Amino acid sequence: MSTESFITTNVVDDDILVINLRGKLDSATTKEFEDVVQQHFDEGKSKIIIDCAHLGFISSLGIGSLVRMQARLKKRGGAVKLAALQGMAAEILRAVRVDKMLDIYGDAEFARQSFSQ
Amino acid sequence: MAKPPAWNITCVLASRENAADALLSETEKQLEGRGWDERDRYCVRLALEEAFNNAMEHGNRRDETKHVTVDCRIDGDRFSASVADEGDGFDPEAVADCLDPENLLRTRGRGVFLMHTYMDRVRYNETGNCVTLEKSASRDAQQG
């Protein structure tokens, strides 16, 4: 587990990285988020679930980061999947049609199961 | 209870990522203190962050010798801000449509769209290097 409060991580099914975000994914936090993703990308992982149950807000920097991540993971045959989106973060992501590019699930467990289908 | 006094702050910020973070947090705090609900606070924070990032990146091209001047005002249920950079300006009409299917995979270019979506009014000066944002609270702000 990360010691940072904004972001915590765990690995399920050996190769799926689950990232739990809390608060805001914006100019103050996107770099930290990308550093965590990069570390696991460097380890060869290509499946990521982002649990957004406690994500209240996302700006275009955070959105761009998600889109960039999806493109990189797809090249490796993987994907980033969003889970438990709610509130303003869900509204913003749908407004810019990120739901057309990333799969969104009701919770992290559904997202996990989808990787094995 | 008396109406809280109007809040106004002008900041001259470096063209550096995170330079506006303290201002964003303080603005959100001021809105909360005036009874603005969470959604409205997020709308303001989002638009202000997008305006600053555009000014820093596209206006001043991350030249740290250039500054972004942000003037914020909250008066009851009204928020307004101007964000000015030292660049040559741009034509907002020429910004690519981020919702066009061909542009959905772009990692940038959504800031202007988000400002227009979540503010009541977005205006640019003639040069295109200063944007003014305006929003009213969705419901009457609490009066203390």
Side-chain angles (χ1 to χ4, degrees), chain A residues 40-76:
Chain A
H40 291 275
F41 191 82
D42 291 345
E43 293 171 2
K45 291 186 174 69
S46 60
K47 300 173 184 173
I48 293 179
I49 296 169
I50 301 177
D51 190 333
C52 303
H54 301 287
L55 179 69
F57 173 87
I58 186 168
S59 72
S60 68
L61 276 180
I63 296 165
S65 182
L66 293 177
V67 171
R68 191 178 311 114
M69 188 192 313
Q70 177 74 327
R72 294 178 73 191
L73 294 174
K74 269 195 164 181
K75 285 181 183 172
R76 285 190 179 178

Side-chain angles (χ1 to χ4, degrees), chain A residues 13-29:
Chain A
D13 296 343
D14 296 329
D15 66 346
I16 302 173
L17 175 68
V18 181
I19 300 175
N20 302 278
L21 298 180
R22 180 176 293 275
K24 302 180 178 75
L25 183 59
D26 59 8
S27 62
T29 55

Side-chain angles (χ1 to χ4, degrees), chain B residues 49-116:
Chain B
E49 176 177 329
E50 302 300 346
F52 174 79
N53 285 339
N54 281 347
M56 169 192 71
E57 181 159 349
H58 303 298
N60 291 344
R61 301 187 183 281
R62 294 179 182 268
D63 179 347
E64 292 196 20
T65 67
K66 294 183 177 178
H67 296 91
V68 179
T69 302
V70 184
D71 183 83
C72 288
R73 169 172 285 271
I74 305 167
D75 191 358
D77 65 353
R78 295 283 304 162
F79 164 83
S80 63
S82 64
V83 180
D85 61 60
E86 298 180 42
D88 296 330
F90 81 116
D91 177 5
E93 300 297 321
V95 175
D97 177 6
C98 69
L99 301 185
D100 187 313
E102 290 187 356
N103 296 330
L104 288 181
L105 289 173
R106 291 174 64 167
T107 58
R108 295 179 182 278
R110 297 177 176 87
V112 171
F113 170 80
L114 290 171
M115 283 191 284
H116 281 276

